[in-house]
Amino acid sequence: MAEGQSYFQDAKAWFEKNKLKSVGLGWATVLGGCVAYQWTKPIPLQMKLIHSRVYAQGVTLAALAGSALIASLDEPAAVADVPETKKQ
């Protein structure tokens, strides 16, 4: 942990630097967990894989939306620097 930074600030800096890696790792983790869960159900293998993929995609979309939300929360300073156009 860098000096003067909290754990949250360190985690946020890591996620900003590795957005796609964290989303990809989350997808793979959820996919593996869903396959393991689906394996206990008495349905065909194809259905197990399809259900697992769909659940993992839903979690991935939520992670991407969360990532976009976090990125937009850091933008107010950048938006404040944009000059306003004069209306005539």
Side-chain angles (χ1 to χ4, degrees):
M1 186 163 39
E3 196 164 322
Q5 288 188 336
S6 69
Y7 176 76
F8 176 75
Q9 290 170 333
D10 286 341
K12 184 178 172 187
W14 186 87
F15 280 114
E16 286 175 355
K17 192 184 297 185
N18 301 300
K19 287 178 189 172
L20 293 179
K21 186 186 292 186
S22 62
V23 170
L25 288 173
W27 174 82
T29 302
V30 170
L31 184 64
C34 286
V35 167
Y37 173 71
Q38 293 291 332
W39 213 260
T40 64
K41 294 186 175 187
I43 58 176
L45 176 63
Q46 293 85 0
M47 293 298 291
K48 291 175 185 179
L49 295 176
I50 289 170
H51 287 173
S52 298
R53 184 185 60 87
V54 169
Y55 297 147
Q57 282 181 331
V59 171
T60 301
L61 287 175
L64 286 173
S67 177
L69 178 66
I70 290 171
S72 69
L73 293 176
D74 291 337
E75 294 299 320
V79 173
D81 294 340
V82 177
E84 293 184 25
T85 58
K86 294 181 181 179
K87 294 181 182 180
Q88 295 182 4

